[in-house]
Amino acid sequence: MASGLLGLFGLARASHLRAAVVRANSFKERAADAKHRLEAAQRDTTHWKEQVAEARARVAAATRDVERWKGKDSGHLNELATLREKLERVKQAEQAIALTRAHLLAMETKLDVLEGAITVLDRRTRDRLEDGAGAPDIEASHTTQTS
Amino acid sequence: MSASPFLSLVLTGRNDDYGGGFVSRFFRVLRFNLELLAERQLATEVVLVEWCPTPGRALLAERLRDGLPAHLLDSVVTYVVDGRYQDAMSLNPKLAYLEFVAKNVGVRRATGQYLLTTNTDLILSDAMGRALASGALRPGCVYRANRIDLKLGIDDSTLHHALLDNPANHVPRPPIVPPLYAGAAGDFILLDRETFHKLRGFNELYRMVRIGVDHNFLVKALSSGVPISDIGPPIYHVAHLASYQTSKHLEDPDTAERRWGRAWHNHDVIYDNHEDWGLRDAPVRQLSAGIWKLDFEWRAVPPLVDLHRIVLSGMATSPE
């Protein structure tokens, strides 16, 4: 009843007023707390944005590095393939040289034999001519011995 | 003598006092070797090829009759080769002795299961006698041996194992090594007769040299799939003034070529002898017991030139 009468005059009980003040203070504190949390979240957001930006920059840099190394590796692989090809050609050239050398030795040996045969025939011809076109003299005259 | 002895010693020589005291040195060595092989009960024949005897001198085969006991003489058969073969076959008028063509004459006619082509101044060691008698020899393998040179000037008038085996009497030589086991190969090439004939003996196409033909045979054997092995025990070499090792640095070039010929590509280029190698078609007649004569006939002489039979060995070699 008393509350009703006080209400008619725009007044309230002191207890009500104190409770309302307490609630108002509580709301203020909660509002301040929410404000702080909001500010912290904003700071975190800003921080994470920076982190993301930094990470993106790193990724971009790493991507550039990867692309660069890919290019370098490709160059190296090409170089390696070229070297292998050259090595193969060197091996083939060595085989060709060895074969050529062997044929050269065989040719020299055959030339030795031809030269020897020509020398022998020349000698026989001269002997025959000196003997008045008689038969070639192939009688041996030897003085040395095997050991 | 048995129709097929275990071993044929194939030798060549003639009575020309090669190296000084040739005949007495040869007889001393031959007697020592034959007695050693007899002790081991190895049936042995000696095939001596008297290549182009020196005119005006007694045959070496005839002197051998006086220089060797009868029981050893029975094992010796000599083929005296007409002197005209040297000039008919030689491709180097300076070269005086076609040693390996002469040895081919012996290889062609030897009857042993195994043929040992060696020289008249090579002495078998006691250990070699044991190795030959061991039964360990296998056909299809060329056997080589390290040669030990005896010091020039030692008293070798009486040969005995204590003298031979004494390291103080030895002159060091590099050992033979795989795959060819080359080095003085002409002093000891032991091979079964069948394989020797399959290879057709020593090179008869490059008739210009004496040096290196033995090495060339080893290249030929290996490139033909015939393995080469060190038999183990050594042989001994009696040093004399005409030995290649003794005189190769002392002779003037002309004398050196007369004795041995010039260096050639014997490590790389080999040969495919005609099937009539070893003077197969030379007519043979008997002069006396154990002495046969190969008379001269042109049909027995191989052509001067037969280039397609000079071939590559197919073995890897390194430039010299």
Side-chain angles (χ1 to χ4, degrees), chain A residues 76-134:
Chain A
H76 287 150
L77 287 173
N78 288 338
E79 195 176 344
L80 189 60
T82 306
L83 284 174
R84 281 184 177 151
E85 192 180 327
K86 284 181 179 174
L87 185 63
E88 192 57 35
R89 286 211 299 269
V90 167
K91 282 181 183 172
Q92 288 173 355
E94 283 177 344
Q95 287 174 347
I97 289 169
L99 189 62
T100 304
R101 176 181 171 273
H103 280 291
L104 179 65
L105 298 182
M107 292 304 294
E108 286 181 353
T109 305
K110 292 179 181 187
L111 283 174
D112 282 351
V113 170
L114 280 175
E115 185 186 16
I118 290 167
T119 305
V120 166
L121 292 174
D122 178 61
R123 188 182 175 191
R124 288 181 191 168
T125 305
R126 288 169 189 270
D127 287 347
R128 184 168 183 174
L129 290 172
E130 286 175 5
D131 290 349

Side-chain angles (χ1 to χ4, degrees), chain B residues 150-164:
Chain B
L150 299 175
K151 284 181 179 172
L152 189 65
I154 65 166
D155 178 14
D156 59 355
S157 57
T158 304
L159 296 173
H160 52 90
H161 293 301
L163 174 84
L164 301 172

